[in-house]
């Protein structure tokens, strides 16, 4: 079977170094918020090109705590997309704010800056663009908009570690940014983990406090906080993998280029990379002409032992738990069309050339109607 993603292969690739790092932590007697975490935080901040990074329990927690650090809470509105991992919206609700979900650009699948602007109200406090599938959102209009209206810009970089917008890495543009280290991410640990990046010393200090019960340096709670810490084992594993992130991203880019070449003549919408961005292909997402066609292709690939996935099958605003709770901008037509027609092909750095060929040959076979 060709899996859609493969965190085990990535572990096996760096097994010796990861195992050594794990042993080092086991023998150290320090398991929570020790040296591994603080070194990782500095290395990650340097990698992104910001002053600070604060490790927390997950990407969802990272967004929750970042919003809290900016004082966002009850009655406040936060604008983001419906075409994202549910986590983005869950984190907004965790701080008591109201998610306002707007439509995407149909080509990049990322937030439409015009739709974001149309959704602004007196209550809007922040915009959260999601750099989906590894491709940066159209940031400049959002930077201009949030500066003009005094709103916070908080980037959701959970799928875009190492991606560039113009000459800088995503995660360095907003007032803060969040990353997930879920095992399948471009930089993933072997459990849960997340991090917030920022240039603001005040936000950094608030995050340090919020992730641990709102404590000050004397362990007295100065604000209501949480328990959301990155543990030493995960930090040590991430320090190993961070060294190879650019090389792994490069492998993803080469795989995407191979897919592009081999699927060139097939009537599918292939990913389109904007000229101002790099794309780190957390996912390689193709667009089909209809839902039934997409479902047929997915079934055919599965019958040939090739796993594919839909990111995401039901937009957040149409999920039963959220239908009546969130506010939406105008009709989210591009979002609804995308979830009906997209398909994520196998994508991970260790995918072999032979496997890429098998995937693309099978897709061509489906198109040719040759299902035997
Ligand atoms: C776009 C996006 N935002 C946030 C998250 C949340 O990250 P985590 O799963 O680490 O909580 C994810 C990952 O699932 C994601 O893909």
């Amino acid at each position: 079977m060709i899996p859609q993603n493969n965190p085990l292969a990535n572990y096996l690739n760096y097994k010796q170094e990861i195992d050594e790092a794990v042993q080092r932590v086991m023998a150290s007697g320090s398991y929570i918020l020790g040296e591994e975490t603080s070194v990782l935080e500095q290395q990650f901040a340097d990698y992104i090109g910001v002053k600070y990074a604060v490790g927390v329990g997950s990407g969802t927690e990272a967004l929750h705590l970042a919003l809290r650090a900016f004082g966002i809470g009850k009655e406040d509105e936060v604008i983001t997309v419906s075409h994202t991992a549910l986590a983005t919206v869950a984190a907004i609700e965790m701080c008591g704010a109201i998610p306002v979900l707007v439509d995407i650009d149909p080509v990049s699948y990322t937030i439409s800056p015009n739709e974001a602007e149309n959704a602004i109200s007196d209550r809007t406090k922040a915009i959260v663009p999601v750099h989906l599938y590894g491709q940066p959102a159209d940031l400049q209009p959002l930077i201009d908009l949030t500066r003009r209206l005094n709103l916070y810009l908080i980037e959701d970089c959970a799928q875009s570690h190492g991606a560039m917008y113009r000459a800088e890495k995503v995660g360095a543009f907003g007032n803060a940014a969040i990353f997930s280290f879920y095992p399948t991410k471009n930089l993933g640990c072997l459990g849960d983990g997340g991090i917030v990046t920022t240039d603001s010393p005040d936000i950094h200090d608030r995050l340090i406090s919020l992730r641990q019960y709102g404590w000050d340096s004397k362990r007295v709670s100065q604000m209501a906080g949480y328990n959301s810490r990155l543990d030493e084992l995960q930090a040590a594993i991430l320090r190993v993998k961070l060294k190879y992130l650019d090389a792994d991203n490069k492998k993803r880019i080469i795989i995407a280029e191979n897919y592009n070449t081999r699927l060139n003549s097939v009537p599918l919408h292939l990913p389109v990379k904007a000229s101002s961005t790099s794309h780190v292909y957390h996912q390689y997402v193709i667009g089909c002409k209809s839902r039934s066609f997409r479902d047929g292709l997915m079934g055919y690939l599965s019958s040939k032992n090739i796993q594919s996935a839909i990111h995401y099958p039901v937009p957040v605003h149409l999920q039963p738990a959220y239908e009546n709770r969130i506010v939406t901008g105008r009709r989210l037509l591009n979002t609804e069309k995308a979830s009906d027609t997209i398909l994520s092909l196998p994508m991970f750095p260790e995918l072999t050339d032979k496997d890429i060929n098998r995937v693309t040959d099978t897709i061509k076979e489906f198109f040719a109607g040759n299902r035997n």
Side-chain angles (χ1 to χ4, degrees), residues 133 294-295 298 308-314 338-340 342-344:
Y133 306 146
R294 186 269 313 274
D295 292 347
M298 193 176 184
S308 56
I310 302 168
H311 300 99
Y312 295 89
V314 183
S339 66
D340 276 348
I342 49 175
L343 192 64
S344 307

Side-chain angles (χ1 to χ4, degrees), residues 16-306:
Q16 196 183 336
E17 269 190 83
I18 289 175
D19 289 356
E20 280 167 19
V22 167
Q23 283 308 319
R24 182 175 74 230
V25 175
M26 300 295 258
S28 75
S30 169
Y31 305 118
I32 297 275
L33 294 187
E35 197 185 330
E36 300 288 345
T37 304
S38 54
V39 172
L40 173 75
E41 288 172 339
Q42 194 50 57
Q43 289 176 340
F44 195 75
D46 291 346
Y47 176 80
I48 297 298
V50 293
K51 291 203 182 105
Y52 308 104
V54 179
V56 296
S58 69
T60 311
E61 280 293 341
L63 184 53
H64 167 219
L65 297 189
L67 293 165
R68 291 249 181 212
F70 285 100
I72 294 168
K74 216 162 183 279
E75 315 275 291
D76 293 334
E77 290 183 358
V78 177
I79 295 173
T80 191
V81 283
S82 184
H83 188 62
T84 181
L86 193 104
T88 312
V89 179
I92 294 169
E93 284 210 325
M94 280 162 80
C95 73
I98 302 160
V100 176
L101 305 186
V102 302
D103 212 358
I104 49 168
D105 170 80
V107 176
S108 67
Y109 302 111
T110 57
I111 192 167
S112 153
N114 282 339
E115 294 299 314
E117 183 159 8
N118 283 332
I120 286 171
S121 78
D122 297 346
R123 293 174 169 190
T124 308
K125 287 286 180 319
I127 300 180
V128 179
V130 181
H131 305 309
L132 202 72
Y133 306 146
Q135 163 134 268
D138 187 7
L139 279 170
Q140 193 58 55
L142 297 171
I143 293 167
D144 296 342
L145 181 65
T146 48
R147 283 201 186 142
R148 178 157 53 85
L149 300 179
N150 237 339
L151 305 172
Y152 297 117
L153 181 66
I154 302 176
E155 298 169 75
D156 182 337
C157 307
Q159 303 190 4
S160 57
H161 316 65
M164 312 272 286
Y165 180 77
R166 298 190 178 146
E168 283 177 72
K169 295 214 175 75
V170 296
F173 290 91
N175 301 88
I178 71 97
F179 294 79
S180 162
F181 297 135
Y182 188 78
T184 57
K185 300 300 194 218
N186 290 40
L187 178 61
C189 55
L190 301 179
D192 269 314
I195 208 162
V196 186
T197 54
T198 184
D199 273 326
S200 159
D202 289 348
I203 294 302
H204 167 263
D205 292 351
R206 289 176 73 87
L207 287 164
I208 293 286
S209 176
L210 280 168
R211 75 175 168 185
Q212 202 157 220
Y213 321 117
W215 279 348
D216 62 16
S217 57
K218 299 198 174 74
R219 301 194 162 197
V220 177
S221 291
Q222 299 294 346
M223 61 180 121
Y226 308 87
N227 173 354
S228 180
R229 304 175 290 217
L230 185 64
D231 69 66
E232 289 286 276
L233 278 174
Q234 302 308 336
I237 293 164
L238 287 162
R239 284 181 59 195
V240 174
K241 289 211 189 175
L242 181 58
K243 290 194 282 181
Y244 303 108
L245 173 58
D246 285 342
D248 277 351
N249 279 345
K250 182 77 195 151
K251 289 181 194 164
R252 289 175 182 267
I253 291 166
I254 290 169
I255 294 166
E257 285 168 356
N258 282 335
Y259 272 141
N260 284 343
T261 310
R262 292 172 203 182
L263 293 173
N264 186 17
S265 57
V266 180
L268 285 168
H269 296 288
L270 304 183
V272 178
K273 186 184 84 61
S275 59
S276 56
T277 72
S278 70
H279 193 323
V280 292
Y281 295 98
H282 174 58
Q283 301 293 351
Y284 183 93
V285 176
I286 56 174
C288 301
K289 64 180 182 196
S290 68
R291 184 183 187 117
S292 60
F293 196 85
R294 186 269 313 274
D295 292 347
L297 176 58
M298 193 176 184
Y300 188 65
L301 288 168
S302 169
S303 75
K304 301 288 177 180
N305 279 324
I306 298 169

